[in-house]
Amino acid sequence: MGYKVVVAGATGNVGREMLNILAEREFPVDEITALASRKSLGTEVSFGDKTLKCKDLDTFDFTGWDIALFAIGSDATKIYAPRAAVAGCVVIDNSSLYRYDSDVPLIVPEVNADAIFGYAKKNIIANPNCSTAQMVVALKPLHDRATIKRVVVSTYQSVSGAGKEGMDELWDQTKAVYNPVQEVPPKKFQKQIAFNVIPQIDVFLDSGETKEEWKMVAETKKILDPKIKVTATCVRVPVFVGHSEAINIEFEDFLDWQEAQDILREAPGIMLIDKREPGGYITPIECVGEYATYVSRVRQDSTIDNGLTLWCVSDNLRKGAALNAVQIAELLGSRVLKKG
Ligand SMILES: NC(=O)c1ccc[n+]([C@@H]2O[C@H](COP(=O)([O-])OP(=O)(O)OC[C@H]3O[C@@H](n4cnc5c(N)ncnc54)[C@H](OP(=O)(O)O)[C@@H]3O)[C@@H](O)[C@H]2O)c1
């Protein structure tokens, strides 16, 4: 016997990947339903070699369904996640709405799988921000060995992190640069994204940080260790899929770069690609459609006693969202629900 699974936001970037990954990983599904807004009623989405017709989330009854994977943004999640949870369906949510709620576990299975048992307080589990998810996968095995004190991270985040409208804006603006008759002013992003980089993701806070930067700090503490200090600069770049991060780490104990490479090579979820030669590293275009969090350019930071710098790249729609959510569903199945 398998699970009755709902994917809410099935027409979106993340929802479509959720359906792909559930099929690819042969998640034990007895029945599956794709939901989106009313305007997408009847829209066809793929699930393996099957085609599903989207239903309206607003009129859907979650009674009798086991797991709902949500990728619909915070505003809609606020309305529909409690509805599903009260009906006894466990929600695995991709929005930021519940990530900082102390009654909701925030999980990256390679890092804090045991937090799964906290799901029962609200019947909701939160999936982290895409840039946090890949970073904590890379930090965890190094933290276990040498205890991380401080992290300085700069991100290079793809436009798919801003949903399908973000991808359309980069595409349309790029074409318009070659055909200036069709001007495409910024709409989803604050400035032109084609042939440019933008040092703002999400809104500004009073501290001068953006909300995306704050999320990386708060989520790293909740998932990995509240004692770790993090400072982030989050930048949108004209890449369709794949987030990259330059990460500088200060440890309590000395960690040699070669030992760090060995640790990362063995760590779950990580693929080390690190040859000190031209092209001996990963770039975002090469990680699209992959499960791994890739690490390259591991090197000593000689400006501090115990420091390393590295480069980390992952498919933000996969490890940063849909894959992590499906891994949480697998964890929930194997440790708690135990069907299938
Ligand atoms: N993209 C990433 O890298 C990433 C990473 C981590 C987390 N997330 C989070 O995942 C969520 C989805 O992101 P996305 O990139 O997939 O966005 P997207 O491509 O814009 O898709 C949004 C999806 O939500 C549905 N939706 C929106 N409002 C709805 C409503 N009121 N009722 C029912 N369905 C509604 C849309 O349905 P219609 O097509 O019918 O409008 C669509 O299926 C967001 O919370 C985002 O922050 C995204």
Side-chain angles (χ1 to χ4, degrees):
M1 204 169 73
Y3 298 94
K4 289 182 71 175
V5 178
V6 173
V7 173
T11 53
N13 275 346
V14 175
R16 284 178 192 272
E17 280 298 344
M18 284 170 163
L19 289 164
N20 289 339
I21 292 170
L22 285 165
E24 275 168 30
R25 292 171 75 93
E26 299 181 350
F27 188 82
V29 167
D30 270 1
E31 198 177 337
I32 189 155
T33 278
L35 304 177
S37 73
R38 188 160 302 151
K39 78 170 164 42
S40 301
L41 192 68
T43 299
E44 294 188 342
V45 290
S46 300
F47 173 61
D49 53 12
K50 297 194 185 71
T51 300
L52 308 176
K53 284 199 166 133
C54 284
K55 295 181 186 159
D56 180 6
L57 169 59
D58 194 44
T59 54
F60 187 74
D61 180 1
F62 286 89
T63 310
W65 292 81
D66 299 302
I67 299 172
L69 302 174
F70 268 52
I72 55 172
S74 294
D75 291 345
T77 302
K78 196 181 253 176
I79 302 168
Y80 299 109
R83 232 188 244 186
V86 164
C89 177
V90 183
V91 174
I92 300 172
D93 178 37
N94 269 270
S95 81
S96 58
L97 186 67
Y98 291 103
R99 289 181 194 154
Y100 320 107
D101 182 330
S102 54
D103 289 338
V104 173
L106 176 65
I107 297 180
V108 174
E110 293 88 343
V111 180
N112 63 337
D114 289 345
I116 192 77
F117 299 104
Y119 86 97
K121 287 187 188 152
K122 285 200 170 160
N123 244 7
I124 297 173
I125 301 165
N127 205 45
N129 180 264
C130 37
S131 39
T132 311
Q134 68 184 68
M135 184 171 81
V136 294
V137 170
L139 294 182
K140 164 76 174 159
L142 304 176
H143 185 51
D144 286 347
R145 160 63 182 79
T147 311
I148 295 172
K149 283 166 63 178
R150 179 170 184 257
V151 173
V152 182
V153 55
S154 299
T155 70
Y156 306 74
Q157 296 181 223
S158 68
V159 293
S160 58
K164 50 192 177 188
E165 289 171 13
M167 297 179 86
D168 290 345
E169 192 157 310
L170 174 58
W171 178 245
D172 293 339
Q173 278 181 359
T174 305
K175 284 189 295 181
V177 167
Y178 294 105
N179 181 10
V181 195
Q182 320 166 317
E183 202 192 326
V184 182
K187 200 164 132 208
K188 187 77 184 169
F189 301 113
Q190 302 79 11
K191 300 209 179 204
Q192 176 181 315
I193 185 64
F195 302 98
N196 202 8
V197 298
I198 304 173
Q200 182 192 345
I201 301 180
D202 213 330
V203 295
F204 275 94
L205 305 178
D206 289 344
S207 61
E209 294 170 292
T210 63
K211 183 106 182 270
E212 184 83 351
E213 290 157 357
W214 176 85
K215 285 176 195 166
M216 290 193 78
V217 176
E219 294 177 24
T220 302
K221 286 177 181 288
K222 183 165 175 179
I223 299 164
L224 185 54
D225 188 335
K227 293 198 283 299
I228 297 177
K229 293 177 182 164
V230 180
T231 178
T233 302
C234 293
V235 181
R236 189 73 71 192
V237 298
V239 166
F240 281 102
V241 178
H243 286 0
S244 307
E245 299 173 344
I247 309 176
N248 178 263
I249 313 161
E250 184 177 3
F251 297 91
E252 294 278 356
D253 305 321
F254 181 75
L255 179 56
D256 173 75
W257 68 271
Q258 282 165 313
E259 187 186 347
Q261 280 188 326
D262 291 341
I263 291 169
L264 290 163
R265 207 173 274 118
E266 297 302 317
I270 292 180
M271 182 75 77
L272 184 84
I273 301 210
D274 198 7
K275 291 196 179 124
R276 294 179 162 190
E277 62 188 36
Y281 44 79
I282 192 89
T283 59
I285 215 159
E286 297 159 284
C287 79
V288 177
E290 301 290 332
Y291 287 162
T293 294
Y294 290 88
V295 178
S296 302
R297 304 283 329 274
V298 180
R299 59 207 192 271
Q300 224 72 47
D301 174 1
S302 58
T303 65
I304 48 175
D305 285 342
N306 302 322
L308 285 177
T309 299
L310 52 84
W311 175 247
C312 174
V313 181
S314 197
D315 181 331
N316 54 295
L317 300 177
R318 293 205 149 208
K319 186 58 195 169
L323 171 63
N324 199 68
V326 173
Q327 286 177 297
I328 293 173
E330 290 168 349
L331 187 65
L332 184 73
S334 63
R335 299 249 191 127
V336 182
L337 304 179
K338 298 188 176 167
K339 287 188 189 178

